């Protein structure tokens, strides 16, 4: 139904912009706000570009990159910050995965409940 990966949102330290995929306009406003704050703070802190993408199975991946020759990009800091975000935002990320699996992949939510 969809390509291999679908971008949920992205933030760029270079362009000073945040992007939320219009396919996710149905998310509650507080979730969209939290994603924006989280992504912008990440790129302000370590630089580069951060994107949150769903893989073909509906798993949320946090990907970061930087322009070649960007001496200000903190590669080690980006890895540590992503691990920190995955721990602190685990509930949010799991909810987003469930949302994507139900509304985009058409999975039945009751498969996980055993009923």
């Amino acid at each position: 139904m969809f390509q291999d990966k679908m971008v949920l949102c992205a933030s760029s330290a270079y362009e000073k912009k945040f992007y939320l995929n219009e396919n996710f306009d149905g998310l509650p406003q507080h979730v969209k706000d939290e994603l924006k704050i989280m992504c912008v703070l990440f790129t302000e802190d370590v630089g580069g570009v951060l994107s949150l993408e769903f893989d073909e199975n509906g798993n949320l991946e946090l990907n970061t990159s930087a322009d070649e020759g960007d001496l200000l990009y903190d590669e080690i800091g980006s890895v540590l910050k992503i691990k920190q975000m995955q721990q602190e935002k685990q509930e949010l990320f799991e909810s987003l995965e469930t949302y994507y699996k139900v509304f985009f992949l058409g999975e039945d939510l009751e498969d996980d409940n055993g009923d």
Side-chain angles (χ1 to χ4, degrees):
M1 184 174 180
F2 293 102
Q3 66 271 27
D4 289 341
K5 293 192 178 204
M6 178 178 281
V7 174
L8 167 62
C9 60
S11 180
S12 171
Y14 306 116
E15 298 178 18
K16 304 285 187 210
K17 289 187 179 179
F18 173 78
Y19 164 78
L20 177 67
N21 187 331
E22 62 188 23
N23 290 322
F24 295 96
D25 280 345
L27 287 171
Q29 188 61 44
H30 73 278
V31 172
K32 294 189 276 190
D33 292 343
E34 189 170 352
L35 288 169
K36 182 175 184 177
I37 292 167
M38 178 184 67
C39 292
V40 170
L41 287 176
F42 178 93
T43 54
E44 285 296 312
D45 189 25
V46 299
V49 176
L50 173 69
S51 64
L52 278 64
E53 304 173 3
F54 292 102
D55 68 13
E56 64 274 0
N57 297 318
N59 300 310
L60 188 62
E61 299 175 351
L62 284 72
N63 299 311
T64 183
S65 62
D67 288 347
E68 193 173 331
D70 181 356
L71 301 177
L72 299 177
Y73 177 69
D74 184 358
E75 190 170 345
I76 294 170
S78 72
V79 172
L80 295 173
K81 191 112 177 131
I82 284 178
K83 286 183 181 182
Q84 177 187 5
M85 286 171 34
Q86 288 171 327
Q87 290 175 342
E88 292 177 357
K89 305 290 185 184
Q90 180 179 0
E91 189 175 321
L92 171 66
F93 294 159
E94 288 174 355
S95 297
L96 288 167
E97 287 178 347
T98 301
Y99 177 89
Y100 184 78
K101 289 175 182 177
V102 170
F103 291 102
F104 290 86
L105 300 181
E107 292 184 13
D108 188 358
L109 188 59
E110 295 188 20
D111 287 345
D112 295 334
N113 295 338
D115 285 334

